Short mmCIF file of all heavy atoms in Angstrom, two decimals:
data_model
loop_
_atom_site.label_atom_id
_atom_site.label_comp_id
_atom_site.label_asym_id
_atom_site.label_seq_id
_atom_site.Cartn_x
_atom_site.Cartn_y
_atom_site.Cartn_z
N ASP A 291 -1.81 -1.41 -10.14
CA ASP A 291 -1.83 0.00 -9.78
C ASP A 291 -2.86 0.29 -8.71
O ASP A 291 -4.05 0.43 -8.91
CB ASP A 291 -1.98 0.87 -11.00
CG ASP A 291 -2.08 2.37 -10.77
OD1 ASP A 291 -2.18 2.76 -9.61
OD2 ASP A 291 -1.88 3.14 -11.72
N ARG A 292 -2.44 0.38 -7.48
CA ARG A 292 -3.38 0.43 -6.33
C ARG A 292 -4.20 1.75 -6.39
O ARG A 292 -5.47 1.65 -6.06
CB ARG A 292 -2.65 0.44 -4.98
CG ARG A 292 -3.54 0.31 -3.78
CD ARG A 292 -2.78 -0.25 -2.59
NE ARG A 292 -3.73 -0.30 -1.53
CZ ARG A 292 -4.61 -1.29 -1.29
NH1 ARG A 292 -4.74 -2.18 -2.14
NH2 ARG A 292 -5.40 -1.19 -0.26
N ASP A 293 -3.62 2.84 -6.83
CA ASP A 293 -4.42 4.09 -6.96
C ASP A 293 -5.54 3.91 -7.90
O ASP A 293 -6.72 4.31 -7.68
CB ASP A 293 -3.57 5.25 -7.33
CG ASP A 293 -2.70 5.69 -6.15
OD1 ASP A 293 -2.82 5.31 -5.04
OD2 ASP A 293 -1.71 6.48 -6.40
N LEU A 294 -5.19 3.33 -9.09
CA LEU A 294 -6.35 3.08 -10.12
C LEU A 294 -7.33 2.12 -9.56
O LEU A 294 -8.59 2.45 -9.67
CB LEU A 294 -5.65 2.54 -11.31
CG LEU A 294 -6.57 2.23 -12.53
CD1 LEU A 294 -5.92 2.62 -13.84
CD2 LEU A 294 -7.07 0.86 -12.55
N LEU A 295 -6.91 1.12 -8.89
CA LEU A 295 -7.87 0.15 -8.29
C LEU A 295 -8.85 0.83 -7.32
O LEU A 295 -10.08 0.75 -7.37
CB LEU A 295 -7.17 -1.03 -7.59
CG LEU A 295 -7.96 -1.89 -6.78
CD1 LEU A 295 -8.91 -2.81 -7.47
CD2 LEU A 295 -7.11 -2.66 -5.72
N LEU A 296 -8.25 1.58 -6.44
CA LEU A 296 -9.08 2.28 -5.39
C LEU A 296 -9.98 3.29 -5.87
O LEU A 296 -11.12 3.46 -5.44
CB LEU A 296 -8.20 2.72 -4.22
CG LEU A 296 -7.50 1.59 -3.41
CD1 LEU A 296 -6.52 2.22 -2.37
CD2 LEU A 296 -8.40 0.76 -2.73
N VAL A 297 -9.54 4.04 -6.90
CA VAL A 297 -10.38 5.06 -7.55
C VAL A 297 -11.60 4.27 -8.15
O VAL A 297 -12.69 4.82 -8.07
CB VAL A 297 -9.64 5.95 -8.49
CG1 VAL A 297 -10.64 6.71 -9.45
CG2 VAL A 297 -8.82 6.92 -7.78
N MET A 298 -11.36 3.22 -8.82
CA MET A 298 -12.52 2.49 -9.35
C MET A 298 -13.43 2.06 -8.31
O MET A 298 -14.61 2.24 -8.39
CB MET A 298 -12.03 1.23 -10.16
CG MET A 298 -11.57 1.46 -11.53
SD MET A 298 -11.51 0.04 -12.62
CE MET A 298 -10.71 -1.18 -11.60
N MET A 299 -12.92 1.47 -7.29
CA MET A 299 -13.76 0.97 -6.12
C MET A 299 -14.56 2.22 -5.50
O MET A 299 -15.79 2.05 -5.22
CB MET A 299 -12.88 0.28 -5.03
CG MET A 299 -12.20 -1.00 -5.61
SD MET A 299 -13.36 -2.24 -6.08
CE MET A 299 -13.89 -2.84 -4.41
N HIS A 300 -13.90 3.32 -5.28
CA HIS A 300 -14.59 4.49 -4.73
C HIS A 300 -15.62 4.95 -5.59
O HIS A 300 -16.69 5.35 -5.20
CB HIS A 300 -13.54 5.58 -4.39
CG HIS A 300 -12.63 5.31 -3.13
ND1 HIS A 300 -13.15 5.02 -1.95
CD2 HIS A 300 -11.38 5.32 -3.12
CE1 HIS A 300 -12.14 4.87 -1.13
NE2 HIS A 300 -11.02 5.04 -1.74
N GLY A 301 -15.33 4.91 -6.93
CA GLY A 301 -16.27 5.40 -7.88
C GLY A 301 -17.55 4.47 -7.98
O GLY A 301 -18.69 4.96 -8.00
N PHE A 302 -17.38 3.14 -7.88
CA PHE A 302 -18.54 2.28 -7.89
C PHE A 302 -19.31 2.48 -6.59
O PHE A 302 -20.53 2.41 -6.62
CB PHE A 302 -18.08 0.79 -8.05
CG PHE A 302 -17.59 0.56 -9.33
CD1 PHE A 302 -16.43 -0.32 -9.53
CD2 PHE A 302 -18.16 1.06 -10.45
CE1 PHE A 302 -15.87 -0.62 -10.76
CE2 PHE A 302 -17.69 0.72 -11.81
CZ PHE A 302 -16.53 -0.10 -11.93
N THR A 303 -18.66 2.73 -5.51
CA THR A 303 -19.41 2.88 -4.27
C THR A 303 -19.99 4.33 -4.15
O THR A 303 -20.90 4.46 -3.30
CB THR A 303 -18.49 2.67 -2.97
OG1 THR A 303 -17.44 3.52 -2.94
CG2 THR A 303 -17.96 1.18 -2.92
N ALA A 304 -19.64 5.20 -4.88
CA ALA A 304 -20.26 6.62 -4.88
C ALA A 304 -21.44 6.64 -5.90
O ALA A 304 -21.78 7.74 -6.35
CB ALA A 304 -19.12 7.64 -5.24
N GLY A 305 -21.94 5.43 -6.25
CA GLY A 305 -23.02 5.37 -7.24
C GLY A 305 -24.20 6.10 -6.86
O GLY A 305 -25.03 6.38 -7.84
N ALA A 306 -24.45 6.39 -5.62
CA ALA A 306 -25.65 7.25 -5.23
C ALA A 306 -25.60 8.70 -5.65
O ALA A 306 -26.65 9.37 -5.62
CB ALA A 306 -25.88 7.09 -3.78
N THR A 307 -24.30 9.15 -5.93
CA THR A 307 -24.17 10.50 -6.42
C THR A 307 -24.46 10.46 -7.89
O THR A 307 -23.83 9.72 -8.64
CB THR A 307 -22.69 10.99 -6.17
OG1 THR A 307 -22.29 10.91 -4.90
CG2 THR A 307 -22.43 12.46 -6.66
N PRO A 308 -25.62 11.21 -8.34
CA PRO A 308 -26.22 11.00 -9.64
C PRO A 308 -25.16 10.88 -10.76
O PRO A 308 -25.12 9.96 -11.54
CB PRO A 308 -27.19 12.03 -9.79
CG PRO A 308 -27.46 12.44 -8.42
CD PRO A 308 -26.36 12.22 -7.54
N GLU A 309 -24.25 11.97 -10.92
CA GLU A 309 -23.36 11.96 -12.05
C GLU A 309 -22.32 10.87 -12.00
O GLU A 309 -21.91 10.34 -12.96
CB GLU A 309 -22.79 13.35 -12.24
CG GLU A 309 -21.97 13.84 -11.02
CD GLU A 309 -22.68 14.68 -9.99
OE1 GLU A 309 -23.90 14.37 -9.78
OE2 GLU A 309 -22.18 15.68 -9.39
N ILE A 310 -21.90 10.50 -10.76
CA ILE A 310 -20.87 9.48 -10.60
C ILE A 310 -21.60 8.08 -10.89
O ILE A 310 -21.03 7.18 -11.55
CB ILE A 310 -20.26 9.52 -9.34
CG1 ILE A 310 -19.43 10.81 -9.21
CG2 ILE A 310 -19.24 8.34 -9.14
CD1 ILE A 310 -18.86 11.01 -7.76
N GLY A 311 -22.77 7.93 -10.34
CA GLY A 311 -23.44 6.65 -10.74
C GLY A 311 -23.78 6.38 -12.08
O GLY A 311 -23.63 5.31 -12.55
N ALA A 312 -24.18 7.47 -12.74
CA ALA A 312 -24.43 7.32 -14.21
C ALA A 312 -23.21 7.05 -14.92
O ALA A 312 -23.15 6.15 -15.86
CB ALA A 312 -24.97 8.63 -14.78
N GLN A 313 -22.07 7.59 -14.54
CA GLN A 313 -20.73 7.29 -15.19
C GLN A 313 -20.42 5.84 -14.96
O GLN A 313 -19.92 5.01 -15.79
CB GLN A 313 -19.62 8.21 -14.64
CG GLN A 313 -18.29 7.97 -15.27
CD GLN A 313 -17.37 9.01 -14.61
OE1 GLN A 313 -17.64 9.61 -13.59
NE2 GLN A 313 -16.13 9.04 -15.23
N ALA A 314 -20.49 5.42 -13.69
CA ALA A 314 -20.24 4.00 -13.35
C ALA A 314 -21.10 3.00 -14.14
O ALA A 314 -20.55 2.03 -14.65
CB ALA A 314 -20.34 3.71 -11.76
#
């Protein structure tokens, strides 16, 4: 599922955003 894959990748690379980084 490419959308799922890319959302995961985007989430990991947005790790500098505090709430997203904490979630990752």
Side-chain angles (χ1 to χ4, degrees):
D291 179 340
R292 188 160 180 78
D293 290 343
L294 183 143
L295 167 71
L296 292 175
V297 163
M298 276 197 319
M299 297 296 286
H300 288 304
F302 291 137
T303 62
T307 302
E309 60 269 34
I310 296 170
Q313 181 181 13

